[in-house]
Structure formats: structure tokens, C-alpha cells
Amino acid sequence: MIEINNVSKSFGTHPAVKDLSLRMQEHEVFGMVGTNGAGKTTLLRMMCGVLQPDAGEICIYGESVYDNPKAKSKIFFIPDDPYFFPNSTPIEMGEYYQSVYSDFDMTRFLHLLNNFQLDKKRRISGFSKGMKKQLAIILGISSCCKYLFCDETFDGLDPVMRQATKSLFAKDMEERGLTPILTSHNLRELEDICDHVGLLHQGGALLSKDINDMKLSIQKVQVVFANDEQQHRFEQQCDVLIHKMQGKLHVYTVRKSHAELEMIMGGISTIFCEMLPLTLEEIFISETEVVGYDIRKIILA
Amino acid sequence: MTSARSSLLNCEKRVVNPHVQMMRHRLWIIAFTAMGAIAYYVIGALLYLSQQKQWSDGMWNEMTALQIAEQYTHYMQDHVRHFYGFCSYGFVVVIFLAIIMGIEGYAYLHKMQTMDFYESQPLSRGKRFTLIYLNGWKIFASIWGAATLLGVAVGALYGGMNVAVLTEIAVEFVFLCILFFGVYNITIFASTISKNNVVATFLTMIFLAAEAGYRLLAQELMEAYFPTYYKYSYISNAYNMKNWFTSPIANYVTGRMQAVEVQRYNLVTVGRVGLAVKNMMVSEVLALVIGVVFLVLAYIAFCRRPSESVGQGLVYRWMEGVTKIMVAIPLGALTGLIMDAVFSTFYATITALNVFMIILVLVLFCFIVEVICNGSIKAFYKRPWQVAIAVALSFAFFLIYRMDIIGFNRYVPKESEIADVVLIDGSGYQTYFKDDGPYDNVAGYNGFGYGVDRDAYLEEAMHLKDIDAGIQIARIGLAERVKNYHSNASWNGYDATIMFHMKDGSLVARTITIPLDVDEELMNRLVGTDEYRQAVYQLDYLEGKLDEVGMDLNVQYSYGYGSFSLEKNQATVDGLIAAYRKDLRTLNFSKLKNKHTIGEIYFTANGPEHYFDMTYPVFEDFTNTIDYLDSKGCYHTSEVPAELVTQLNIYGEVAADDGKTRYYGDLYYDDSELAAQIAPYLSLYLTHDWASGMDAVSVGVTITGEFEGCEYNAAMGNYQLPIDKLPESVVEDIKNSGNSYTWE
């Protein structure tokens, strides 16, 4: 488990991360979202031991990460703009990482290069941005580290490769308990892969929740009430987060479980009633509005 | 298929050594090092030695084949030693490589992309530092070592190798490694506290040059603004600027200079190499210590360096300010010095233009530094308070010298702190010799021959006990010298050096100007002492010296237009020295100032070990010496026989009535009446510097006829004639010669 306890980091007079605390469990995909400058990359760099927090501590299995090879041996960092040695080839980078990470799986590395159709002897300097990202992901996967930190990793990948990468993560999570930690400024990008999402804003964590928990506790329903009294009864029984109306059609986002909502609807006289699926975006809108933020201004603008 | 599979299998199993991994990505550094080493050690050597071989052809035509072979071997040994040994220029390449390797090795610190790459890997900072550090060393030492071996082979190919040369090359390799160690570590330290490579390179240059820059500038400022500053000898501060505390390059160069002095006779022996190494050892040890200190600093700076420190300027903001001000201080002073040099205003009141230029240069410098540190031209105005500090400190530094704020020109030590006094006249009349100690290291060409440095010898040999007289003379001499420098009037006084051996072992030395009208009794308290005479007239050195095996001795007495040679035996010489020693007891300042010499005794000797020539003045009251010479048939009066004078050459100046204009002339006469008129007043032009206060003209006398002490019946002698004895007709001739100048 990764524990981030009251971590702060400033660059000069500008605070990048402010008193932030998070927990990241194993075997689940943790997604960090936030606008540019929210502190995602800074936090990720601190988690990888690249930056030293000004205050607080970041621990992996109870051990501080900064300048600690033992803790760092469990992590692999894929930055937004990965570095490769000048004039190097994929095979040379593989050999380098093999000398750095004791569990580096060269067989798998070569296999994945082949699968992703990356020429192992071609100079990386001739690769496209997407190919470089693919190579970085392959190197990270092949390092067999417990934690894979990906900074805006899906940026620049085409949909097919994005899906292939997600599949790779899923496979390794299942087979060896890989824990990917992803950052993105785009909530929609992480929706279908993350188990847990943390929302960063201005250096702090607005919220950090399990997506399933959020989905289970918030429901969306569209309904046409038989009369106004029925509407009034419904609103009294539900914790309404969002209410929209088009003519007589009402769309409610409410804080209730699916079963509870069904029970309430059973006692209400309606002309039409339908339960609708919630997007991660909608869940976030609902959650953040509760704590006084307009998420659309933060990450969806 | 098989080969492809096996290749794949090999690839899967192979875990490459981290150093090999690193070297793979430093190939151009390896190539650069190899090119530098081969260019100097192989290509350069082949060119140089081929040229020397070509030049040696026909050099020993008169010799037998065996002798030629021997000479050629010695000649080539010397040149191989010269190219690869302590005189090698390979150090320039080493310095360059150390800087390149230090900057390149730690360049990853200056880019966030590479910081993400390296710092996220499971390797501690300490281990990464060590890995990169040792990798640089491995590249340098292996390539430079191999090149040195190639150099030995090239040297042997040209027949210039022996044990001494080999030893020197091996020692030089070690010393070059020490140089690399120091420069490499300084570069790494600069790199670890810089935010980009350009700044790191600049900072490296500053670290390497700062101490030399400060000390040399201080030296220049002292020479420019302190007229009493003593600088004319091997014992001066300038010459003794040997130990450097922050620059391995300065230490290396200093060491080489000392080695070159030891080796100037081109003697290629193990003993000479050992002596050179002994002389260089302090410099090398200092370079080593500097290297260790910077290595520790670099390691600490590396381990504590915040990873986000990439971009412009230095890692810590305060370092930028300190560096800026430390560079600004000498820069402002240098500007002031240059301005004074351009307008020749060293001793005038500081001009407004000078002040303006200093401020302008400092402000511009601070602006440029801010632009570099912030990476933006718009940031030039930032931290203006640092400009104010830089200007204030730079002016303070400059004015310490310019206005003598510390009272350097007035300083005379306290009597209680002085052990004894040294007074050296400015005549340079005597030359001195010394056998013991590192003769060659002390010796230097002093204008007369290879003797010991005059001031160095006298500083060591003279211990005058009348400290009160020394202090009084120092005060008078310092004041007179400063007055002369700040005055437009003609220079008056005797230039001299006064030194105080302090009880704590230190030496205080000043150049002074003793007024012409100095109290003779005061001067006699120093000059009229056995301590003074014994040191200045090095008679002890001569005793027994002439009995040395193979010593070819000549003792001559010259009386102006003729001379006599004494018998070549120790008894004669001892008798002469004994007689002279008795007469010397009467010598003091009054005699040197007011009396003319009537002749000189020359001792010249060539021996297997040494060559020396020494000169001793004879005054008319040196009766013991005169009698002794007379008894050996070697004395003749210095009076000019007017009847034999065939030509007079009168050169000198006479004052005009206005007291400001002076006429000068160089006139020739063959007038026997004029010769008869001035002959009784002519005295030998061999007077001491302290007699220069006499107002006289110089007279060249050509004598033709038979007289003792001359084989050719003709001779020339140089004399001087007091100005008041110059006939009016000659005065008029000088005035009418058309040459004059006016002294304001």
C-alpha cells in the first residue's frame, strides 16, 4: 500500500502540493485527475522518489520512498515525456533496465515489442510520440514492478493502443498483482479502467473514492409524476443531488442505493419511470457539488 | 533461424555491467578522450621527435661515430623528456577533458526529463554519484594510461628512453592524474550546484581562476598603487606566489615552473627527476587536498540537491548573489586599474570618469548575471540591492590599494617585534654566489651571470642589529618614496630596499628612497657595521675556494685604464683577502658616498662545479690592500696622465640660469690643454650608487703611449668630473649643442 501523509511541496513561493493525504490500495487502478497545475505530476514525482516532499511523508509498504532503492525497486515511473538514451534502440533500453531492475523480464519485453510491432533494433529517436509511449509502457510492464506510475500515459496513444495497454494492465493485475497509478487531466479517459479515483485541485485532494462505492450510492432516474403531490413525496424521501426538468419529465440524481430507490419508487404514483446509468463524470459532478465545487469548471471545461 | 534464436537467448540472459552500460552512452566522451590522448602522445610526439631528429643531423660533425651516437641518445632523451615529462603540454588536454567529463557526466541533473529517468530508478544518490564519478575516472585513466605507454614506445623508437626519462614520464602521469582529480572534482561540484550546463561551465571557470585572479589582481594593484611595494626579487611576494588553495591548475603550473628551473641544464638523470619531484611536491599535495575537498563538497551537494533544480542559475539563490558579488569585486577594481593605466593617473586624485566607469561596468555585469540566472532579458533589473553591495565592496577593495587605506606605504613594524634589519642598496654592484642548498633553484640570471639572486642572498646573509636606525631609515625612506611618486619634480634620492626579519619568522620588506641629504651618521649605524660589510662583501666565499680541484683562477687589479694579474696561487689570494679585510673595517656610508674608488679587484674563476666572478672596490685609504698589491708589483695610481691623453669624450648635463632648463651634450675634444686642466680632478667612474648624489659629468678618456698594465700602448678609461671643475668653455659648448629639456 502507498501512504501519502500530509505531503506538501512548493517551488519557490508557489505551492504545488498542499498538505495532501491519500491511500492507494494494491490490486486496483488508482486514477488521479485534475487540471493542469493541479499537482498531479508533482505528486507522482514525489511518489516515485524523484522529488523530496517539503513536509510529510510518502511510504510504500511503510518505507519512505525518497532516496530509498528498496522502496524504488517496487516502482516504475513512466513520465509524460519518457527519456531514452540518445541514439539508443529498444533492445539497448531493455538491457539497461535489465541491469537496473532485478526482475526485468527480457523475454516478455521482446515478446511485447513484437506484439506492439516495435522494431527492437530501430533507433528510438526515429519513433513517433505514440511509439515512444508504447515502448515506455512495455519497459514498465517488463520491469515486473509492483507499482506502475503513469503520467498522462494515454495521451498520444491511438484508441487501439489505448485499449491494448489497458488490457496489458488488466492481465498483469490479475497475474502478478500490478497496481497501476495513472494521472490524467481528462476524467473520461480513466473512466473504464480506474477502480479508485482521486481528484486533485490546486495542490490538494478534493476527494478520493472507490468508483463502485460512488456508483452504488448515487442513482439517476427519469420520471413523470402522476401529480405534484407525488413529486413532493418523492423529493421528501430522497437525498436529491441534481434535479433537471423538461416539461413534465424530471431527471433526478439522488444519493440512494439501487434497491432503496426501487422501494421508494414502488410507493410513488408515476406515469413513467426509468433508472438511468451514471457516467463517472456525473458521479463526480454530484460528489463535488456537495462539497461546494463546480467540477465542470475544474476538469470538464 | 538458429542464429536468430541464439541471439535472442543471449540477449535475454545478458545483464550488462553498469559501467559498461554507462560507457555505451558516453561513447563520444571516450572518442574525445582517445583523440586528445592520441593527438598529443602519438601524433604530436611523432611530429616533434621527427623534427628534433632532423635538426640533429649534422649537429656533431666533428665527432667520432661513437661520440655522435652518445650525443644523439642524450639529445633525444632530453627531447622525449621534454615532450612527455614535466615540460609536457599534455596538461592542457587533461584540463579540457576533466571539464568535459565532469559536465557531461552530471548533465542529467540539469534536465527534468533525465531526472525523472534516473531518480525514479532503484539506486541511491550516493551510489549513482560514485558510479558516474568512477566511470569518468575509468575512461580517463585507461585511455591516458594507454596513450602514455604508446608515448613510451614512440620515445623508445627514437632512441630517447632511459630509466630517468621513464621515471619522469611515470611521475608525470601520476601528476596529470592529480590534476585531473582536482579539475574533475571542481567541475562536478560546479555542476551539482548549477541548474544548467552553461552556468556549470562558467562556474567551473570561476572556481579554477578565482584565486589566481584575486591574487594576481592584488599583486597588480600593489605594484601600481604602492610605490613602496617590494617586487624585485625571488623572495618577493610575486615570486613566492607558489601555493594555491583552490586551483589545482595554478598548483600544477607552479610545480612545472619549479621543475623547469631544476632541469634547465637538460641533465636527464634520476637524481634530477627526484629533485624536481621534491620541489613540486608541495604543489602536488595541495592540488590533491583541493581535489579531496571539492570531491566531498560535490558529494554533499549532489546528495542534497533538490531534483527540481533545473533551468537557470544556481541551485540556491544565495549562491548566485555571492558568486555575482565575488566576481564583481575584482572586476570593478580591474576597471579602475585599467582606467588609471590608460590615463596615467595612478598617483593623482581619482577621477569622476574612473568612478563612473567602475559603476557602469559593475551595473552592466550585474544585469548580465541576472539575465543568465533568470533566463530572461527582462529580468536584468532584479535584485538591485546586490548591485549596490557589489559597487560598495568593489570600491572598498579598489580604494584599499588606490588610497592606501591600510597604510601599506607608511607601515614600519614595532621595534619589539623586529629581530634584525636588512638594507640593500639599489646599485646592483655586487654579484653573489652560493654552493650549498638547492643551488640551481635559488640561482637565476641577474644581469651579470649565474649567481644567486642578490636580494635573496643578502636577505639571508645580513642581520643588522641597530633596529632603531633601521626603523628611522625606513620611515624616512618610505615618506621620501611616496613624496617622489606624488610629485612632478625630478627624482631625488637613493633607491634601496629595507627588510625586517621579524621575531615570528616572517619578513617585512619595502622599497624605499633614501634622501640625498640623509643623516650620514644614521646611515653609518647600519652600513658602518661588520654585519653589513661581511654580508655585502662576500669575502668568506672566496677563502679556500681557489684550492678546489680544476678551478681556473684569475685575480686582477684594475686602476681605470690598465690592469694587473696577480699570481695564480692560494697564498697570494689569501694575502690579498687578509689585507682587504683589514681595510674593509673602515668602510661606511660616508666613505661610499663621498669618496671615489681608485681601482677594483676582480676575482674570476671557472671550475668543474662552479663559475663565479666577484668585484671589490679599492679606496685611496685602503692602505693595506694598496701596499700588498704594490708588493706584488700590481699597483698603479688611477691618476690620469694628461700628457698621454689623446681624446676626451665629455657627456653630461649643465643647468641653465633659470634653474629649470638643463642642457646636455656628448662632446669630443683632442685638446691637450683641456686634458691637463681637468686631469687632476678626474676620478674613476666606479663609484657606489650612494655617491650618485655628486653633480658630475662623465668623461671618457683615450690614452695613447707606454704605461704599466697595458699591452697595447693605448687604452680607454671612464671617469667622472665634478661639475664645478668643468671649464667654462665646455659648459658653453654643452649649452650650445642644442640639446635641452625643461623640468617643471
Side-chain angles (χ1 to χ4, degrees):
Chain A
M1 187 172 74
I2 298 176
E3 294 171 278
I4 301 167
N5 300 317
N6 307 107
V7 163
S8 296
K9 182 73 184 174
S10 297
F11 299 117
T13 54
H14 171 70
V17 174
K18 290 183 285 190
D19 198 27
L20 188 144
S21 295
L22 282 174
R23 297 281 181 280
M24 296 178 185
Q25 302 295 336
E26 288 182 41
H27 312 304
E28 61 179 29
V29 182
F30 191 101
M32 282 193 285
V33 289
T35 49
N36 292 331
K40 304 187 297 292
T41 304
T42 301
L43 180 60
L44 213 54
R45 280 179 171 145
M46 286 194 284
M47 289 164 69
C48 298
V50 175
L51 299 180
Q52 186 177 26
D54 294 338
E57 194 179 29
I58 297 175
C59 296
I60 293 180
Y61 295 118
E63 286 195 76
S64 176
V65 185
Y66 186 73
D67 204 20
N68 183 349
K70 191 180 169 190
K72 284 185 181 178
S73 66
K74 297 180 179 68
I75 61 174
F76 190 99
F77 180 36
I78 303 172
D80 184 27
D81 183 16
Y83 174 77
F84 302 102
F85 293 121
N87 299 317
S88 62
T89 61
I91 193 75
E92 285 171 354
M93 289 308 299
E95 284 174 356
Y96 175 77
Y97 278 110
Q98 194 177 22
S99 71
V100 174
Y101 291 96
S102 55
D103 293 333
F104 190 87
D105 187 344
M106 182 57 89
T107 309
R108 187 160 185 225
F109 173 67
L110 294 170
H111 181 71
L112 288 173
L113 280 180
N114 196 38
N115 284 0
F116 276 72
Q117 296 182 329
L118 295 176
D119 185 348
K120 66 184 179 189
K121 291 185 176 173
R122 186 178 155 192
R123 285 193 175 175
I124 299 168
S125 53
F127 281 11
S128 68
K129 186 185 175 187
M131 290 163 82
K132 285 179 183 171
K133 286 241 162 151
Q134 287 171 41
L135 176 60
I137 291 164
I138 293 169
L139 285 164
I141 290 284
S142 305
S143 70
C144 298
C145 291
K146 186 79 180 169
Y147 294 97
L148 190 63
F149 294 94
C150 306
D151 190 12
E152 310 278 3
T153 300
F154 296 109
D155 231 20
L157 288 183
D158 63 49
V160 175
M161 284 304 161
R162 199 177 295 185
Q163 202 50 50
T165 305
K166 287 175 181 174
S167 302
L168 263 181
F169 286 175
K171 186 169 181 286
D172 273 55
M173 286 176 73
E174 189 183 328
E175 287 179 357
R176 61 177 183 87
L178 171 72
T179 304
I181 290 144
L182 317 172
T183 69
S184 177
H185 57 274
N186 190 343
L187 189 58
R188 292 176 191 113
E189 202 170 61
L190 300 179
E191 184 170 355
D192 57 343
I193 187 170
C194 290
D195 301 309
H196 196 106
V197 175
L199 176 61
L200 303 189
H201 180 59
Q202 292 180 344
L206 282 188
L207 63 87
S208 171
K209 282 196 172 181
D210 190 281
I211 288 181
N212 285 333
D213 287 350
M214 284 195 280
K215 281 184 175 174
L216 286 174
S217 61
I218 297 175
Q219 308 298 326
K220 188 178 180 183
V221 61
Q222 60 177 349
V223 58
V224 177
F225 293 103
N227 51 48
D228 290 348
E229 190 190 340
Q230 295 303 313
Q231 182 188 354
H232 185 66
R233 276 182 61 203
F234 174 81
E235 287 177 358
Q236 274 187 330
Q237 290 178 56
C238 291
D239 179 5
V240 179
L241 298 173
I242 300 168
H243 175 210
K244 288 177 183 171
M245 193 170 74
Q246 283 184 318
K248 288 192 173 183
L249 180 67
H250 298 264
V251 180
Y252 287 97
T253 305
V254 296
R255 193 179 293 282
K256 287 287 176 193
S257 70
H258 194 269
E260 284 173 335
L261 186 60
E262 276 188 337
M263 193 183 290
I264 290 168
M265 293 310 293
I268 301 288
S269 174
T270 60
I271 297 166
F272 169 76
C273 179
E274 187 184 16
M275 304 287 271
L276 296 173
L278 268 165
T279 63
L280 189 57
E281 186 181 314
E282 286 171 313
I283 295 171
F284 260 80
I285 290 168
S286 308
E287 289 286 358
T288 54
E289 275 185 347
V290 171
V291 291
Y293 286 93
D294 185 350
I295 190 76
R296 282 159 292 210
K297 288 182 183 171
I298 299 174
I299 56 174
L300 303 174
Chain B
M1 186 71 183
T2 308
S3 71
R5 282 187 67 182
S6 64
S7 165
L8 186 69
L9 283 171
N10 286 341
C11 187
E12 287 171 20
K13 288 176 183 173
R14 187 174 59 202
V15 177
V16 184
N17 178 293
H19 277 292
V20 177
Q21 278 286 359
M22 193 171 286
M23 284 186 188
R24 278 183 179 181
H25 309 295
R26 303 184 82 184
L27 286 177
W28 73 268
I29 280 284
I30 295 170
F32 211 75
T33 310
M35 279 193 293
I38 290 169
Y40 188 82
Y41 276 86
V42 181
I43 299 170
L46 284 170
L47 290 172
Y48 177 76
L49 295 176
S50 298
Q51 188 187 43
Q52 298 308 322
K53 186 175 186 296
Q54 194 180 341
W55 285 351
S56 73
D57 289 342
M59 196 179 272
W60 305 287
N61 282 339
E62 306 299 317
M63 296 183 181
T64 64
L66 194 65
Q67 286 173 324
I68 289 173
E70 194 182 329
Q71 286 296 322
Y72 174 78
T73 303
H74 184 74
Y75 177 83
M76 288 313 291
Q77 281 169 356
D78 190 40
H79 283 290
V80 169
R81 178 197 67 73
H82 189 268
F83 196 81
Y84 293 122
F86 300 141
C87 304
S88 160
Y89 286 101
F91 77 94
V92 178
V93 186
V94 170
I95 291 166
F96 191 64
L97 288 176
I99 293 172
I100 292 281
M101 220 169 281
I103 295 287
E104 192 273 345
Y106 294 85
Y108 86 91
L109 295 170
H110 305 143
K111 211 174 166 190
M112 209 57 225
Q113 190 191 28
T114 44
M115 285 300 284
D116 284 341
F117 177 75
Y118 285 108
E119 290 296 311
S120 62
Q121 291 168 14
L123 197 65
S124 70
R125 283 195 160 197
K127 275 190 180 174
R128 185 170 304 287
F129 179 90
T130 310
L131 188 71
I132 300 170
Y133 184 81
L134 292 179
N135 191 262
W137 259 110
K138 280 187 179 179
I139 293 171
F140 171 75
S142 56
I143 293 175
W144 209 259
T148 305
L149 290 176
L150 277 174
V152 169
V154 171
L157 191 71
Y158 280 88
M161 198 57 68
N162 68 358
V163 177
V165 176
L166 200 61
T167 307
E168 187 171 328
I169 293 172
V171 174
E172 177 63 9
F173 175 73
V174 174
F175 286 170
L176 284 175
C177 285
I178 292 173
L179 176 68
F180 179 86
F181 178 69
V183 178
Y184 186 47
N185 295 350
I186 285 174
T187 309
I188 293 170
F189 177 61
S191 208
T192 53
I193 61 169
S194 301
K195 286 186 176 177
N196 66 47
N197 290 343
V198 176
V199 172
T201 308
F202 274 126
L203 198 59
T204 302
M205 301 300 175
I206 290 170
F207 281 137
L208 290 174
E211 187 191 358
Y214 259 94
R215 288 172 66 177
L216 291 175
L217 178 63
Q219 187 73 31
E220 286 299 318
L221 290 168
M222 288 209 279
E223 288 186 18
Y225 298 117
F226 294 163
T228 64
Y229 179 66
Y230 172 75
K231 61 184 176 185
Y232 302 107
S233 166
Y234 292 152
I235 55 169
S236 67
N237 286 342
Y239 185 79
N240 283 312
M241 215 185 280
K242 288 175 181 169
N243 301 328
W244 305 86
F245 303 103
T246 62
S247 176
I249 296 176
N251 276 310
Y252 179 89
V253 173
T254 304
R256 284 334 86 166
M257 285 162 71
Q258 291 176 63
V260 168
E261 272 192 26
V262 171
Q263 296 189 316
R264 68 160 181 264
Y265 295 121
N266 299 330
L267 294 172
V268 188
T269 64
V270 176
R272 284 270 160 182
V273 175
L275 187 58
V277 171
K278 191 181 164 192
N279 283 353
M280 289 188 283
M281 200 46 81
V282 174
S283 298
E284 296 301 331
V285 169
L286 275 172
L288 204 58
V289 171
I290 292 165
V292 170
V293 169
F294 273 97
L295 178 60
V296 172
L297 289 174
Y299 183 82
I300 294 169
F302 181 89
C303 290
R304 294 188 174 186
R305 187 181 202 277
S307 300
E308 63 271 25
S309 300
V310 296
Q312 304 295 330
L314 300 179
V315 171
Y316 304 103
R317 209 64 171 147
W318 63 267
M319 282 184 175
E320 293 174 0
V322 170
T323 310
K324 184 204 291 182
I325 291 167
M326 291 305 285
V327 176
I329 290 170
L331 186 66
L334 181 64
T335 307
L337 180 65
I338 290 170
M339 289 297 291
D340 276 333
V342 169
F343 296 102
S344 298
T345 51
F346 289 114
Y347 300 103
T349 308
I350 191 165
T351 61
L353 179 64
N354 198 337
V355 173
F356 172 75
M357 285 303 290
I358 292 172
I359 294 172
L360 180 68
V361 166
L362 290 176
V363 168
L364 285 176
F365 170 75
C366 290
F367 282 176
I368 291 166
V369 172
E370 280 306 316
V371 168
I372 292 170
C373 288
N374 291 283
S376 167
I377 194 102
K378 293 176 184 172
F380 72 91
Y381 62 87
K382 286 193 173 177
R383 294 186 281 189
W385 56 274
Q386 287 185 358
V387 180
I389 291 176
V391 170
L393 291 179
S394 190
F395 263 104
F397 180 68
F398 181 53
L399 294 179
I400 281 173
Y401 299 95
R402 183 68 169 71
M403 298 177 72
D404 191 14
I405 288 170
I406 55 171
F408 183 93
N409 290 324
R410 301 183 299 277
Y411 176 68
V412 177
K414 289 179 186 166
E415 189 170 354
S416 58
E417 296 170 353
I418 300 169
D420 56 59
V421 183
V422 181
L423 180 67
I424 304 172
D425 66 70
S427 66
Y429 190 64
Q430 282 286 52
T431 51
Y432 299 99
F433 298 86
K434 181 179 176 182
D435 294 340
D436 58 334
Y439 171 85
D440 293 315
N441 196 32
V442 175
Y445 188 75
N446 58 10
F448 296 93
Y450 284 100
V452 294
D453 176 79
R454 182 170 179 266
D455 289 15
Y457 162 77
L458 288 171
E459 185 271 323
E460 188 181 305
M462 195 183 292
H463 300 278
L464 309 178
K465 298 299 177 194
D466 194 338
I467 294 167
D468 176 58
I471 288 174
Q472 286 190 53
I473 291 167
R475 286 193 179 131
I476 294 166
L478 291 172
E480 183 70 11
R481 192 165 183 83
V482 172
K483 191 180 86 183
N484 271 332
Y485 265 89
H486 287 86
S487 162
N488 288 327
S490 61
W491 191 270
N492 281 311
Y494 315 113
D495 288 342
T497 302
I498 193 154
M499 299 178 186
F500 296 100
H501 287 127
M502 306 301 285
K503 286 177 180 168
D504 64 4
S506 62
L507 180 75
V508 175
R510 293 288 186 277
T511 302
I512 58 173
T513 300
I514 299 169
L516 297 177
D517 59 353
V518 66
D519 179 1
E520 288 182 22
E521 280 312 307
L522 179 64
M523 289 295 287
N524 286 338
R525 284 168 62 186
L526 291 184
V527 179
T529 60
D530 287 342
E531 291 86 3
Y532 182 88
R533 293 184 287 249
Q534 195 172 2
V536 172
Y537 301 95
Q538 201 186 6
L539 289 170
D540 295 344
Y541 180 80
L542 291 170
E543 288 181 340
K545 182 64 62 187
L546 311 177
D547 269 348
E548 276 185 18
V549 177
M551 186 69 85
D552 180 24
L553 162 76
N554 280 297
V555 183
Q556 276 190 322
Y557 174 70
S558 167
Y559 58 89
Y561 57 93
S563 62
F564 300 96
S565 290
L566 275 77
E567 288 176 44
K568 290 185 181 183
N569 63 66
Q570 188 68 47
T572 304
V573 173
D574 287 348
L576 180 61
I577 291 172
Y580 192 84
R581 206 185 280 278
K582 283 180 196 168
D583 292 329
L584 198 59
R585 287 181 198 138
T586 66
L587 193 71
N588 59 14
F589 178 77
S590 299
K591 183 174 286 184
L592 287 166
K593 183 184 177 187
N594 302 315
K595 301 291 181 186
H596 298 291
T597 48
I598 60 165
E600 282 186 318
I601 303 168
Y602 300 109
F603 294 89
T604 56
N606 268 312
E609 292 292 327
H610 306 294
Y611 162 83
F612 66 83
D613 63 306
M614 303 170 91
T615 307
Y616 292 88
V618 177
F619 291 86
E620 59 187 354
D621 62 347
F622 275 25
T623 52
N624 294 294
T625 306
I626 293 168
D627 290 347
Y628 186 83
L629 289 168
D630 208 14
S631 69
K632 298 293 178 186
C634 295
Y635 178 74
H636 189 283
T637 176
S638 64
E639 288 171 10
V640 176
E643 66 280 10
L644 298 180
V645 173
T646 53
Q647 190 183 55
L648 292 167
N649 171 208
I650 298 175
Y651 176 83
E653 292 181 4
V654 293
D657 295 336
D658 63 2
K660 290 181 180 176
T661 305
R662 289 184 73 84
Y663 298 97
Y664 60 94
D666 189 3
L667 308 170
Y668 288 85
Y669 298 93
D670 52 2
D671 182 346
S672 56
E673 277 186 27
L674 179 63
Q677 195 178 348
I678 66 172
Y681 308 107
L682 291 174
S683 57
L684 277 179
Y685 198 77
L686 300 168
T687 46
H688 194 273
D689 188 50
W690 288 337
S692 63
M694 296 175 186
D695 203 1
V697 295
S698 103
V699 181
V701 177
T702 306
I703 295 168
T704 310
E706 287 187 17
F707 50 91
E708 283 184 283
C710 179
E711 298 173 26
Y712 309 107
N713 295 333
M716 287 187 70
N718 290 319
Y719 296 84
Q720 60 181 9
L721 178 71
I723 201 79
D724 58 345
K725 303 295 180 191
L726 195 62
E728 197 56 38
S729 60
V730 179
V731 172
E732 285 306 313
D733 287 347
I734 291 175
K735 286 182 178 176
N736 294 330
S737 66
N739 302 315
S740 66
Y741 65 90
T742 304
W743 195 270
E744 292 298 332

